Every structure is written in C-alpha cells, then in structure tokens.
C-alpha cells in the first residue's frame, strides 16, 4: 500500500505581522517595512512553502508503507 502526494496547496496566508528589533529608535518603522514587504511577497512565500514542504513530504512518502496501519486479515484455520 503506497500513498502519493499529488498536490500541496496553501489556501490562506493572511495577516502576517513581523516584529523586528535592533535599531532601537527605528524598531517600529523597521517592523512596518518588513511586514509590508512580506505581505507583498505572499505569492512567492506560498510557492516556496508548497514546493519545499511538498518535496519533503513526497520524499518521506516514498518509504511510507500504509499497510502497517491496517489490520491483517484473519486466517481461518481448518479443523
């Protein structure tokens, strides 16, 4: 028994917020700029997630044997 991942689709990636620190008086603007850049790059982020996670799942599924999760049929003996 084998399982194959045909498609991995990220359906919702909303309301991404980032909080960055390191430029003390400018942390608030740095966080707003980073959040804006990430939100404008959602399609690229989604595509990367789908490709990366999908590829890793496909690789793992190559060695997955789903028959170990199903009960073995009872063998009826002759009496």
């Amino acid at each position: 028994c084998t399982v194959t991942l045909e498609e991995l689709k990220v359906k919702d990636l909303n309301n991404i917020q980032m909080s960055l620190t390191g430029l003390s008086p400018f942390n608030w603007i740095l966080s707003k700029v980073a959040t804006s850049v990430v939100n404008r790059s959602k399609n690229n982020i989604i595509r990367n997630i789908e490709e990366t996670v999908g590829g890793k799942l496909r690789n793992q599924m190559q060695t997955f044997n789903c028959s170990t999760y199903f009960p073995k049929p009872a063998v009826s003996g002759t009496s």
Side-chain angles (χ1 to χ4, degrees), residues 20-32:
L20 301 175
T21 60
L23 297 174
S24 295
F26 303 107
N27 286 342
W28 66 275
I29 191 73
L30 182 62
S31 295
K32 288 194 179 291

Side-chain angles (χ1 to χ4, degrees), residues 12-25:
D12 188 19
L13 192 64
N14 288 323
N15 201 19
I16 298 174
Q17 295 182 351
M18 297 181 71
S19 178
L20 301 175
T21 60
L23 297 174
S24 295

Side-chain angles (χ1 to χ4, degrees), residues 5 8 48-58:
L5 175 66
L8 174 68
N48 285 329
I49 290 171
E50 290 171 349
E51 290 174 359
T52 303
V53 174
K56 290 186 182 292
L57 285 172
R58 281 184 197 90

Side-chain angles (χ1 to χ4, degrees), residues 15-77:
N15 201 19
I16 298 174
Q17 295 182 351
M18 297 181 71
S19 178
L20 301 175
T21 60
L23 297 174
S24 295
F26 303 107
N27 286 342
W28 66 275
I29 191 73
L30 182 62
S31 295
K32 288 194 179 291
V33 168
T35 298
S36 176
V37 169
V38 167
N39 282 315
R40 281 187 276 140
S41 303
K42 280 184 184 181
N43 289 335
N44 290 334
I45 293 169
I46 288 171
R47 188 180 69 247
N48 285 329
I49 290 171
E50 290 171 349
E51 290 174 359
T52 303
V53 174
K56 290 186 182 292
L57 285 172
R58 281 184 197 90
N59 288 340
Q60 290 297 315
M61 288 178 166
Q62 289 177 352
T63 60
F64 178 74
N65 183 357
C66 60
S67 64
T68 59
Y69 295 93
F70 294 105
K72 304 266 187 262
V75 178
S76 57

